[in-house]
Amino acid sequence: MLTMNYTYRIYPNVVQQTELRSWLETCPGVYNYALRELKDWIASRKCSVDRCSLEKEYIIPADEPFPSYHRQQNNLPKAKKQFPHLGKVHSQVLQTTIRRLHDTWEAFVKRGYGFPRFKKFGQFKSFVFPQFKNNPINGFTINLPKIGEVPIDLHRPIPDGFKVKQVRVLSRVRGTQWYVVVTIESDISVPDVPVHGRAIGIDLGLERFLTTSERSFQERPQFFKSMQSQLKLLQRRAARKQKGSQNWEKAQIEVARMHHRIANRRRDFHLKTAHQLCDRVQTIFAEDLNVKGLTRGMLRTDCVDAAFGQFLSLTEWVCWKRGVYFAKVNPNGTSQTCPSCLATVSKGLEVREHHCPECGYRTHRDRAAAEMVLDRGLENVVSQGLWGTETACQVGLSGVDDLDKWRGAGTPNREAGKPAL
């Protein structure tokens, strides 16, 4: 079973936009009500057996079952009688809202932290239509239940053999731009991409966004800093408006539109860079970076602006789509190890050149790290037995034969030298 997501922009009219915003206000209310039931049931089981709190206590019968997803979903028809405005929202949209809460709860139980929180006004940005009997896309419109026909920018047609599984409606730029994420599926099965062809390692950094083991590199566009002065001007104008007024809302929309433009430019750069890599090689190795840790250091602003995590995710998707093998390797010590003799060469961030005192190998720091990423990726391929399963159409991995010789059959001092990559 193959499942993919296609994102399109839609253009609802004024009445439809009002209805969509109303749904986005109703769904958090259902979410919070269900969460309140969940928290009350848990709190009622916290009191001691022989005493109760002097301030307050949750009195729920001991035989009352846990408010599971199915129980709360079955209570929705009763809630609609008590709160008639819930009937304006599609029933399955409310069910997926309850499902969203219990997915968060199950994730909390699994990892042990991150208890579900109440949603504030405007915090819900999307809702889901989970199933369709017929294809909702007809020409250049999409038929959303209880919303009607909405114009859609179908810039990419649905492939033959795929059917629409679900549709998620997204609100962007404070409800002024609307998108749909169409989930399509097919019964076909796509095999995993095998290791084949020409291989490279890539190193991500702030001086250069990307450096490959083949001496090429890509400069880092500073998306946020290049537009920071314009963004600061818009934020200053918004701060001078009376909060809640129409002028304040217009100013907030301008700020949100600027953030949206920055994000679009960053994503466009990541996709184009990933496609350029896939045009050149058939196997890519990258570092398995701790992206969350990078956003907590001194250079967190630059790391967030570069968005290494988004780039790696998009590169993995582009590689899968284009039949390029992609794998991540352990990033520890890639910049502190000589790719020629594997000696440890300690250096600070201010040192931008790699010079090994053992073998005399000299190159740029980022290129040395990229070469180490490639070496580790090839070692993983050989150790996991992925090499040697190629088809008749595949080409030999450049560097694998030399890698076996370079490893020296267990020679401790690595005298075999640098592999010919």
Side-chain angles (χ1 to χ4, degrees):
M1 185 70 69
L2 177 61
T3 304
M4 296 189 299
N5 292 332
Y6 280 8
T7 303
Y8 304 99
R9 185 170 179 181
I10 58 176
Y11 300 90
N13 56 36
V14 177
V15 178
Q16 292 172 336
Q17 289 189 39
T18 303
E19 191 71 16
L20 292 174
R21 293 194 190 98
S22 175
W23 288 22
L24 289 177
E25 295 174 4
T26 304
C27 289
V30 176
Y31 184 97
N32 293 337
Y33 189 90
L35 179 58
R36 182 76 271 168
E37 286 186 344
L38 185 66
K39 296 188 72 171
D40 288 350
W41 188 92
I42 295 174
S44 67
R45 268 62 180 168
K46 287 184 177 180
C47 66
S48 304
V49 177
D50 57 342
R51 68 183 71 88
C52 293
S53 173
L54 295 177
E55 298 179 357
K56 61 179 180 179
E57 197 60 76
Y58 295 87
I59 303 176
I60 296 180
D63 58 348
E64 181 72 17
F66 176 76
S68 62
Y69 163 69
H70 295 288
R71 289 182 57 85
Q72 291 188 327
Q73 175 186 333
N74 295 335
N75 290 333
L76 283 175
K78 301 177 183 178
K80 290 181 180 180
K81 297 179 180 179
Q82 186 177 359
F83 306 100
H85 69 279
L86 297 180
K88 299 179 180 179
V89 184
H90 194 265
S91 59
Q92 292 184 340
V93 171
L94 298 179
Q95 293 172 9
T96 55
T97 303
I98 302 295
R99 179 74 268 173
R100 180 173 175 176
L101 167 64
H102 285 273
D103 287 343
T104 308
W105 164 257
E106 292 171 3
F108 158 71
V109 173
K110 183 177 180 180
R111 63 176 176 259
Y113 61 91
F115 195 91
R117 299 181 179 182
F118 292 106
K119 300 298 181 181
K120 300 179 182 179
F121 175 80
Q123 200 167 352
F124 251 59
K125 303 295 183 182
S126 67
F127 55 83
V128 180
F129 295 100
Q131 63 181 6
F132 290 88
K133 293 183 179 179
N134 301 316
N135 185 7
I137 300 177
N138 183 17
F140 292 96
T141 60
I142 181 171
N143 187 10
L144 301 178
K146 285 197 172 185
I147 300 296
E149 297 284 343
V150 182
I152 182 174
D153 183 10
L154 201 67
H155 57 84
R156 179 170 51 179
I158 303 296
D160 296 335
F162 285 81
K163 62 179 181 180
V164 177
K165 178 66 176 178
Q166 70 176 24
V167 173
R168 177 179 293 273
V169 180
L170 300 175
S171 171
R172 292 287 183 266
V173 194
R174 299 181 69 87
T176 59
Q177 294 184 15
W178 296 89
Y179 298 84
V180 289
V181 179
V182 181
T183 302
I184 57 177
E185 67 175 9
S186 177
D187 295 333
I188 63 175
S189 60
V190 179
D192 295 333
V193 179
V195 185
H196 66 289
R198 187 179 173 190
I200 64 169
I202 60 176
D203 176 74
L204 303 179
L206 296 178
E207 180 186 14
R208 297 173 177 176
F209 177 77
L210 182 144
T211 305
T212 70
S213 56
E214 297 180 333
R215 298 180 180 271
S216 61
F217 60 90
Q218 176 70 50
E219 295 293 344
R220 178 175 67 92
Q222 299 183 2
F223 306 99
F224 177 76
K225 287 189 176 180
S226 63
M227 306 182 73
Q228 188 175 11
S229 59
Q230 303 177 39
L231 181 62
K232 186 182 294 185
L233 176 62
L234 294 177
Q235 290 174 333
R236 187 182 298 115
R237 291 176 180 175
R240 292 172 179 173
K241 303 294 188 297
Q242 183 180 357
K243 189 173 182 179
S245 63
Q246 292 185 358
N247 289 333
W248 177 84
E249 182 64 27
K250 292 179 181 179
Q252 293 295 331
I253 291 175
E254 291 296 328
V255 174
R257 186 175 292 121
M258 179 62 68
H259 280 294
H260 189 64
R261 187 179 300 117
I262 294 173
N264 284 344
R265 290 180 57 191
R266 183 184 296 114
R267 182 180 178 87
D268 180 70
F269 168 76
H270 288 168
L271 284 172
K272 288 181 178 178
T273 304
H275 278 284
Q276 289 175 2
L277 291 174
C278 293
D279 289 338
R280 297 162 47 191
V281 297
Q282 294 77 39
T283 299
I284 299 176
F285 298 108
E287 292 177 308
D288 189 9
L289 297 175
N290 179 14
V291 181
K292 186 177 293 186
L294 292 175
T295 60
R296 297 173 180 173
M298 295 175 56
L299 303 174
R300 55 185 176 272
T301 302
D302 294 297
C303 291
V304 171
D305 191 17
F308 296 130
Q310 175 180 276
F311 173 73
L312 292 176
S313 299
L314 292 176
T315 302
E316 185 174 4
W317 155 250
V318 172
C319 288
W320 175 85
K321 182 175 63 173
R322 299 192 54 179
V324 176
Y325 180 81
F326 178 84
K328 296 180 180 179
V329 302
N330 184 9
N332 295 334
T334 54
S335 61
Q336 308 294 329
T337 306
C338 177
S340 178
C341 62
L342 298 185
T344 301
V345 184
S346 300
K347 45 186 175 292
L349 287 175
E350 70 279 359
V351 180
R352 305 313 303 168
E353 184 183 25
H354 170 79
H355 182 207
C356 179
E358 300 290 337
C359 63
Y361 182 60
R362 186 189 299 267
T363 185
H364 193 275
R365 174 197 181 107
D366 294 341
R367 180 172 180 254
E371 291 177 354
M372 276 305 305
V373 170
L374 174 61
D375 295 341
R376 290 183 181 181
L378 294 178
E379 284 187 347
N380 292 339
V381 166
V382 175
S383 62
Q384 295 175 8
L386 299 177
W387 172 248
T389 59
E390 71 277 8
T391 63
C393 300
Q394 288 177 275
V395 187
L397 254 178
S398 62
V400 172
D401 296 335
D402 296 304
L403 177 66
D404 294 333
K405 299 177 182 178
W406 172 60
R407 292 196 297 187
T411 304
N413 55 4
R414 306 292 182 182
E415 294 179 354
K418 183 180 179 297
L421 299 179

